[in-house]
Amino acid sequence: MTPETVNLDKIVALCKRRGFVFQSAEIYAGLNGVYDFGPLGTQLRNNIKSLWLKHMTQWPEEVVQMDGSILGSGQVWEASGHLKNFSDPLVDCTNCKKRYRADDVDLARVCPSCGIKAWTDVRQFQLMFETNLGAMADSASKAYLRPETAQAIFINFKNVFSSCRVKMPFGIAQIGKAFRNEITPKQFLFRLREFEQMEMEFFCKNETTAAHFFDLWIERRRMFYQDLGIDANKLRIRPHEADELSHYSRGTVDYEYNFPFGWKELEGIANRGDFDLSQHSKHSGKELAVFDEETKSSYVPHVVECSVGVDRLFLTLLFDAYQEDEVEGEVRTTLKLSPKIAPVKAAVLSLVKKLNEPAEKLYTSLKQAGFAVQFDDSGSIGKRYRRQDEIGTPVCFTVDFETLDDNCVTARNRDTLVQARIGLDNVEEYLRKMLE
Ligand code: GAP
């Protein structure tokens, strides 16, 4: 068997085989565009979110957190412009009844599914999920599942500003679920109907400061992707053309990743101007301006937004980390994830079951020290190494017969395959250094 390049099928298979991601309601034939995350997937997501938060809050300007509600009143989405603008062009094939996003197909040609050219007119399809609060299903009870987390930040801007002693410029960061009734969810975790966003809205004084922070956050986000270890050759910045800007945007750049299915948006960084706060002020009748002590006048802050999907970043990281190579005639699959986000930091292996006692002692002490570790005593050592390589565990510590004499274990590095003897007393320190 020879190694092949990564593709979507391999990632989907690995995710299922090793407990990263499962199709939601799989035993009932699955729910399209919705996924569940297993133990390793959950750990990986948590690590991604923690690192994102670190990169949001480590700068001189303050960035605080909030956690807004998922259900939103129609008034919020009216003011934000989503009720009017948040739609995708939809087209149906009248022959086979298949439905497409109009920008996904060439309408001058035949239907990719049945080969007949019989399109309906293009119409706009609202992407927000609608629901009703309480027993009455009337227009007054109508609510929406949020399609982005950002609006919760805007409508709470004044609450945070006046209760938390923050000073302009400052940011509010939020991680949470968002929902979009995508016409064609696709490419596994790339386009989902239920997903999680990590968004930060940075409030500043005016156009000039917004332009400055827009550039600054673009560079800070590059540093985040560098810290994650993403291949810089597969990452690029693409400014939006004027005709593709969102209704709220004065300027947007996307960080795009070169997926096996092409260069696609990973994160959007937008200069939203004072659109959002002005809109909410107008629609709610509430003053959302702040007072500037220096000039003794009020102003509506401008906003720079950084927005990335946890799931889309998760998928990017898997593609970027996936490697196959040949070891002793067999294909070895490795996830070369940065140790900072690897779901399991180390595995403790006993060479033979007779050595389980000292191995379990080491495993327990590492767990107690707060490391995510696994213990494995089944199968050949080679097989156990490969199991750990496949889930991205950076290091395996093997307890062997020599351990009983020299109090050392063999540390085997996932990427270099170098094996080194280290003292049992130094294992914790070794892991801490690795995670720096
Ligand atoms: N608040 C701005 C906003 O929501 P967006 O470009 O629509 O902007 C931001 O979304 C990010 O959220 C995207 O770059 C992507 O990472 C993620 N995202 C958007 N729609 C998604 C979907 N249907 N499935 C998975 N992730 C999605």
Side-chain angles (χ1 to χ4, degrees):
M1 245 176 53
T2 44
E4 292 166 39
T5 49
V6 61
N7 59 41
L8 192 60
D9 289 345
K10 288 186 184 199
I11 296 291
V12 174
L14 171 65
C15 281
K16 181 165 183 201
R17 190 167 68 245
R18 303 313 310 273
F20 282 91
V21 187
F22 309 118
Q23 175 76 55
S24 183
E26 192 190 46
I27 59 169
Y28 296 102
L31 195 57
N32 200 7
V34 185
Y35 287 89
D36 296 334
F37 290 85
L40 289 183
T42 306
Q43 268 171 273
L44 178 55
R45 287 170 77 82
N46 288 342
N47 297 344
I48 292 171
K49 290 188 247 182
S50 301
L51 196 66
W52 180 86
L53 208 53
K54 175 170 179 277
H55 275 260
M56 280 297 148
T57 54
Q58 68 186 354
W59 308 107
E61 309 87 27
E62 192 157 15
V63 174
V64 294
Q65 289 181 70
M66 70 160 282
D67 191 359
S69 69
I70 284 171
L71 285 169
S73 93
Q75 287 161 299
V76 171
W77 305 108
E78 174 76 47
S80 70
H82 282 79
L83 273 174
K84 186 159 161 250
N85 299 310
F86 200 59
S87 54
D88 273 344
L90 173 79
V91 73
D92 291 293
C93 169
T94 55
N95 182 55
C96 71
K97 312 288 179 231
K98 224 170 159 197
R99 184 162 277 188
Y100 299 93
R101 262 175 75 141
D103 48 4
D104 275 352
V105 283
D106 181 353
L107 296 177
R109 301 182 62 166
V110 297
C111 167
S113 171
C114 69
I116 306 276
K117 184 167 173 266
W119 300 117
T120 60
D121 287 341
V122 174
R123 56 204 191 281
Q124 291 302 316
F125 175 72
Q126 171 54 251
L127 293 177
M128 282 196 295
F129 284 102
E130 209 179 285
T131 187
N132 290 91
L133 301 185
M136 299 294 286
D138 55 17
S139 59
S141 69
K142 210 181 256 185
Y144 296 87
L145 298 188
R146 64 183 180 191
E148 61 169 16
T149 65
Q151 296 305 321
I153 297 180
F154 299 133
I155 59 178
N156 280 291
F157 163 74
K158 218 39 192 301
N159 283 337
V160 173
F161 186 71
S162 49
S163 64
C164 298
R165 301 180 58 80
V166 279
K167 287 203 173 65
M168 297 287 294
F170 77 100
I172 304 180
Q174 183 176 203
I175 300 176
K177 289 273 188 172
F179 302 82
R180 297 183 188 179
N181 198 1
E182 299 284 357
I183 299 168
T184 44
K186 60 182 170 189
Q187 277 121 2
F188 191 36
L189 304 179
F190 184 82
R191 185 175 291 152
L192 299 169
R193 290 188 168 130
E194 173 177 339
F195 56 101
E196 200 164 7
Q197 283 187 319
M198 301 185 282
E199 300 202 293
M200 191 277 299
E201 309 298 325
F202 194 80
F203 298 92
C204 45
K205 201 163 168 183
N206 52 30
E207 254 170 50
T208 315
T209 41
H212 163 73
F213 282 110
F214 183 61
D215 291 342
L216 195 62
W217 279 106
I218 292 172
E219 172 56 13
R220 288 173 176 177
R221 301 309 294 143
R222 189 195 60 72
M223 291 159 85
F224 171 63
Y225 292 116
Q226 187 180 31
D227 200 13
L228 279 170
I230 289 184
D231 181 351
N233 295 317
K234 290 195 167 168
L235 202 63
R236 72 177 185 195
I237 293 177
R238 189 183 69 80
H240 279 206
E241 303 288 341
D243 63 354
E244 61 173 323
L245 286 178
S246 306
H247 60 276
Y248 50 73
S249 173
R250 295 188 178 196
T252 297
V253 301
D254 285 344
Y255 268 100
E256 292 189 335
Y257 183 78
N258 192 4
F259 292 94
F261 40 87
W263 287 96
K264 300 276 177 206
E265 173 184 345
L266 169 60
E267 166 159 1
I269 300 163
N271 181 345
R272 299 179 73 125
D274 60 0
F275 176 84
D276 303 279
L277 293 183
S278 297
Q279 281 292 104
H280 285 303
S281 188
K282 199 160 86 192
H283 283 252
S284 65
K286 300 279 168 1
E287 181 62 80
L288 296 180
V290 297
F291 188 71
D292 185 355
E293 289 296 343
E294 252 175 55
T295 60
K296 304 284 178 221
S297 60
S298 295
Y299 64 93
V300 177
H302 283 231
V303 172
V304 171
E305 172 186 78
C306 304
S307 174
V308 58
V310 177
D311 316 81
R312 200 173 284 184
L313 179 53
F314 182 105
L315 181 65
T316 305
L317 288 164
L318 292 185
F319 274 125
D320 206 64
Y322 187 97
Q323 277 193 18
E324 288 181 359
D325 50 15
E326 207 184 312
V327 178
E328 291 158 10
E330 266 187 57
V331 175
R332 180 178 81 116
T333 303
T334 312
L335 280 186
K336 294 200 168 179
L337 292 168
S338 155
K340 286 182 189 163
I341 51 154
V344 178
K345 305 302 180 199
V348 178
L349 317 174
S350 55
L351 187 65
V352 291
K353 289 206 163 108
K354 244 193 248 174
L355 295 164
N356 274 9
E357 203 184 312
E360 275 170 2
K361 206 169 142 199
L362 173 62
Y363 165 70
T364 308
S365 74
L366 291 178
K367 273 220 298 197
Q368 281 170 348
F371 295 104
V373 284
Q374 283 193 351
F375 176 78
D376 191 357
D377 66 352
S378 66
S380 72
I381 278 287
K383 273 219 173 79
R384 282 184 264 169
Y385 282 155
R386 273 191 284 287
R387 278 205 286 268
Q388 294 301 328
D389 291 340
E390 203 180 41
I391 62 169
T393 308
V395 62
C396 292
F397 299 112
T398 303
V399 172
D400 54 25
F401 287 106
E402 272 176 67
T403 308
L404 304 179
D405 298 327
D406 65 2
N407 273 330
C408 288
V409 286
T410 301
R412 181 260 196 189
N413 183 294
R414 175 196 71 193
D415 298 337
T416 61
L417 299 182
V418 167
Q419 303 201 5
R421 294 292 286 176
I422 61 165
L424 279 169
D425 290 347
N426 294 330
V427 170
E428 261 185 58
E429 186 55 24
Y430 179 100
L431 281 180
R432 262 184 245 290
K433 279 226 170 81
M434 183 187 83
L435 295 174
E436 264 166 22

